[in-house]
Amino acid sequence: MNYKNPDQHGYYGEFGGAFIPEMLYPNVEELQSGYLEIIESESFQREYQSLLKNYVGRETPLYFAKNLSEKYNTQIYLKREDLNHTGAHKINNAIGQVLLAKRLGKKRIIAETGAGQHGVATATACALLGLECIVYMGEIDIQRQAPNVARMKMLGAEVIPATSGSKTLKDAVNEALRDWINNPSTTHYVIGSVVGPHPFPDLVARFQSIISKEIKEQLLEQTGRENPDYVIACVGGGSNAAGAFYHFVDEEDVKLIAAEAGGFGVDSGKSAATTFLGTLGILHGSKSLLMQTVDGQVIEPHSISAGLDYPGIGPFHANLFKENRAEFFSINDEEALQSAFQLTRIEGIIPALESAHALAVLDKKRFKTDDIIVICLSGRGDKDMETYLKHL
Ligand SMILES: *Cc1c(COP(=O)(O)O)cnc(C)c1O
């Protein structure tokens, strides 16, 4: 499987495609036929790379975590996506897509958000690049995530509550899709992970691939070899993992590890471990693994980290799982919390709860003393302080 180039219909093996209502065809086809030429053009790359460097603050450090390495008796490097502007990897994609939208002549950006991280990244990119921004967010999430709602408003975005269904992320996606259908020519929908109809999974993976491009260069400089033995990342929809894996997926000597949110445990009924619990189905416009009842109702996921609280997984990762190209671990809430506290105490870095799931793999698997392990630290923990304080 060529993960860097899914087929022309956006398939990674049997996963992917574009399953959308007919009224969305014009929007999605416009993107499908134009995205590669635009984002690969020299002028786009010049503008994008310049913003990544001077606005986002890339390249992010690849940090050899000496204390953590001693504790686990192996060589651990942290890719510091937490140091990006707005605190996580999501800005890499948000800026890329808003730039793309501008080149497609769009004036208006819509996005969905769960915890608000993707909403904040998109509102930030829109403030910077001068586009109108509307963020759909479940009514319950708006109450739960007040600080991010305030940030989006201060950045000039309009936050519209999704009041149907469970009033959470999947309902916000439905509202955003409805908006897109009604405003096909003026509006671009910025999807926040490697999910959704083709070409979004490939588009988002390409924007996040900067993570593994930098890892290769930095590792070569620091160790004399550009390939680590392992790359570990957490997976919600899968964008930081796709970015961290991208330039290693064809290198057989690099083992890939994905950490999913086990919630209270995979057998507890309150989990978000899609590869363990999911079956083949269609969610948000693509065919992939998702948590559903026998008659196809989406099961509400649970994770302590809002960014991993998603009932599906992108087609890129569904195929990595199917082909056994990546090893998947399910990390429970409690295990993620302990890993977050440990990193904070021994390295002085407070990670996002999502990223703590990737760190927790260190307790699940034995590594050799001379193994080089790169862990994607997808975001910082400021947004999770309330949860951390409750468990201190
Ligand atoms: C949103 C988020 C994630 C999960 O999204 P992916 O698309 O799976 O990367 C992980 N970490 C952080 C810090 C996030 O904000």
Side-chain angles (χ1 to χ4, degrees), residues 87-90 117-118 192-194 204 234-242 306-308 317 352-355 377-380 383:
H89 64 292
K90 287 196 171 76
Q117 295 302 108
H118 173 56
S193 190
V194 285
V204 178
C234 67
V235 174
S239 69
N240 88 89
L308 304 184
H317 298 287
L353 263 168
E354 291 83 359
S355 321
L377 209 72
S378 55
R380 57 178 172 248
K383 67 184 179 58

Side-chain angles (χ1 to χ4, degrees), residues 245-323:
F245 294 169
Y246 197 84
H247 291 290
F248 297 115
V249 72
D250 297 329
E251 315 263 342
E252 277 171 25
D253 56 328
V254 183
K255 297 175 213 65
L256 308 176
I257 296 181
E260 286 187 315
F264 291 171
V266 285
D267 300 321
S268 67
K270 289 184 79 77
S271 179
T274 307
T275 60
F276 290 87
L277 299 169
T279 50
L280 190 64
I282 291 167
L283 180 66
H284 300 145
S286 85
K287 191 195 278 186
S288 193
L289 294 172
L290 65 124
M291 291 166 33
Q292 56 187 335
T293 61
V294 278
D295 34 56
Q297 294 290 334
V298 174
I299 295 172
E300 277 300 318
H302 164 80
S303 166
I304 193 168
S305 70
L308 304 184
D309 202 350
Y310 185 67
I313 186 171
F316 184 108
H317 298 287
N319 204 57
L320 287 178
F321 176 72
K322 170 120 197 264
E323 287 193 321

Side-chain angles (χ1 to χ4, degrees), residues 105-245:
K106 310 294 179 187
K107 304 266 180 293
R108 193 172 167 269
I109 295 293
I110 54 173
E112 85 296 336
T113 198
Q117 295 302 108
H118 173 56
V120 168
T122 305
T124 299
C126 287
L128 172 71
L129 297 164
L131 273 78
E132 185 188 349
C133 183
I134 290 109
V135 180
Y136 289 93
M137 190 167 182
E139 199 171 38
I140 295 196
D141 290 334
I142 288 181
Q143 289 159 15
R144 285 194 292 208
Q145 309 289 340
N148 275 341
V149 175
R151 282 187 192 103
M152 287 183 264
K153 289 186 173 161
M154 186 164 171
L155 287 159
E158 186 186 348
V159 181
I160 301 184
T163 53
S164 61
S166 55
K167 304 180 173 63
T168 57
L169 178 60
K170 70 173 176 18
D171 312 290
V173 175
N174 291 335
E175 292 296 325
L177 287 169
R178 200 163 310 156
D179 180 311
W180 209 23
I181 290 172
N182 290 328
N183 300 285
S185 56
T186 56
T187 300
H188 175 72
Y189 178 15
V190 176
I191 290 186
S193 190
V194 285
V195 299
H198 174 60
F200 283 103
D202 184 48
L203 178 65
V204 178
R206 283 171 193 263
F207 286 139
Q208 294 294 358
S209 69
I210 181 83
I211 299 173
S212 49
K213 180 169 178 279
E214 288 177 4
I215 293 172
K216 264 186 179 270
E217 293 162 2
Q218 294 168 315
L219 205 60
L220 180 64
E221 195 180 295
Q222 293 180 39
T223 70
R225 49 183 272 208
E226 61 174 28
N227 285 355
D229 296 288
Y230 294 90
V231 181
I232 307 178
C234 67
V235 174
S239 69
N240 88 89
F245 294 169

